Amino acid sequence: MRIEAISVIPQVFEPYVSSSILGRAQKAGVFSFEAYDLREWTHDRHRTVDDAPFGGGQGMLMKPEPIFEAVEDVSARDAVRPHVVFFSPCGTPFTQAVAERLSKKERLLFVCGRYEGMDERAYTLADEVVSLGDYVLTGGELAALAVTDAVVRLLPGALGDEMSALDESFSDGLLEYAQYTRPAEFRGMCVPEVLLSGDHGAVGRWRRESSLRRTAALRPDLISSAGLSESERALVARLLEEEKESAGEGGAHGQAL
Ligand code: ADE
């Protein structure tokens, strides 16, 4: 996969995409990443990318001309037309399902806004607009990095162990089960017996139940679309009942859910 980003602070991407798993995946040829400075497509001495909003108001907006020129120019550098993603709190919320969909594209071009927003006409260049969540960042760069990270780890060969992306939170619409490593007892907290038993069937059942318990407790909104069996639905209904009864007893993390 080829990933490119247009930004006024293109230098922020390199350290992250060259480190750890993403760095290894780039070296292995799983994906390439290139960031471009939007100011390359300005034509004035000050390399201006922003201007005041019509109608008045606080702050500055990104001008449409450099964005149009940049997207058109970068797009034309390769025969494969990129899937163009803009970032804004007004976009579609970013989820694992969106990451999976984007991971199927051959070429992604991210356009990162800064300042108080963008001239609305620039969004006509977007194939889609993505929001990282219901909060306001100072720019789209962190969103572009989060999307890059979540997408790349889904690509074949990105993770050393091909199974690990299949076995984690959201891969089946549920939160991931609780996990433990040595020591078996730490400061009085014991690893659940079943995980030490060597009984793979029992471990599998415990993990599924742990996923269901956690999801019911922490993210009940995920349950309805998770594709549960009849017996799992009954278990979740019971767990949600228990949850109601013990409401106010603190968070669900670290409690062997
Ligand atoms: N730019 C500013 N805030 C953002 C958000 N929440 N998601 C994506 N891009 C943004």
Side-chain angles (χ1 to χ4, degrees):
M1 170 182 282
R2 180 166 183 183
I3 303 178
E4 290 149 295
I6 296 168
S7 163
V8 288
I9 46 169
Q11 71 277 13
V12 300
F13 295 96
E14 215 272 333
Y16 194 82
V17 297
S18 303
S19 304
S20 185
I21 290 175
L22 296 194
R24 244 177 288 138
Q26 264 197 91
K27 281 209 187 93
V30 170
F31 81 111
S32 67
F33 189 95
E34 194 160 355
Y36 304 96
D37 187 344
L38 180 65
R39 294 183 201 279
E40 283 179 32
W41 288 276
T42 56
H43 304 287
D44 63 312
R45 204 156 53 85
H46 301 291
R47 310 181 86 201
T48 310
V49 292
D50 60 335
D51 206 341
F54 279 126
Q58 290 274 300
M60 299 287 270
L61 291 180
M62 295 184 78
K63 294 157 60 65
E65 306 97 309
I67 299 172
F68 267 80
E69 282 189 38
V71 169
E72 286 165 359
D73 192 12
V74 171
S75 297
R77 292 180 183 186
D78 188 306
V80 179
R81 193 195 163 279
H83 184 76
V84 179
V85 181
F86 278 50
F87 296 100
S88 159
C90 304
T92 309
F94 186 56
T95 61
Q96 191 66 22
V98 174
E100 277 161 22
R101 186 166 51 68
L102 293 179
S103 74
K104 309 279 183 334
K105 308 283 182 193
E106 201 173 324
R107 188 178 175 207
L108 293 172
L109 175 56
F110 296 148
V111 181
C112 307
R114 285 249 127 196
Y115 310 101
E116 313 301 314
M118 245 181 222
D119 185 290
E120 191 63 24
R121 292 165 291 190
Y123 290 102
T124 60
L125 293 162
D127 291 308
E128 64 185 291
V129 183
V130 167
S131 167
L132 201 56
D134 290 340
Y135 39 81
V136 180
L137 302 168
T138 55
E141 287 78 10
L142 278 174
L145 275 172
V147 172
T148 298
D149 189 301
V151 165
V152 166
R153 62 198 303 293
L154 294 172
L155 300 176
L159 304 180
D161 172 3
E162 291 279 337
M163 288 304 290
S164 40
L166 292 174
D167 204 28
E168 58 197 9
S169 292
F170 306 112
S171 58
D172 55 4
L174 297 173
L175 301 184
E176 196 179 29
Y177 46 80
Q179 299 193 91
Y180 301 86
T181 182
R182 273 179 281 267
E185 186 187 337
F186 176 68
R187 298 199 176 184
M189 295 177 280
C190 291
V191 173
E193 251 344 289
V194 60
L195 299 180
L196 313 174
S197 70
D199 178 343
H200 295 301
V203 169
R205 287 189 295 280
W206 184 89
R207 287 182 167 165
R208 182 72 182 171
E209 189 167 319
S210 170
S211 271
L212 291 167
R213 276 180 190 280
R214 274 190 163 182
T215 311
L218 300 169
R219 294 293 306 277
D221 56 300
L222 296 175
I223 292 287
S224 62
S225 49
L228 304 185
S229 71
E230 202 60 41
S231 62
E232 287 179 330
R233 289 209 170 275
L235 170 64
V236 165
R238 209 167 64 236
L239 295 173
L240 288 171
E241 265 319 300
E242 283 173 24
E243 193 61 26
K244 253 189 250 156
E245 280 157 25
S246 66
E249 285 178 10
H253 275 293
Q255 295 178 12
L257 276 168

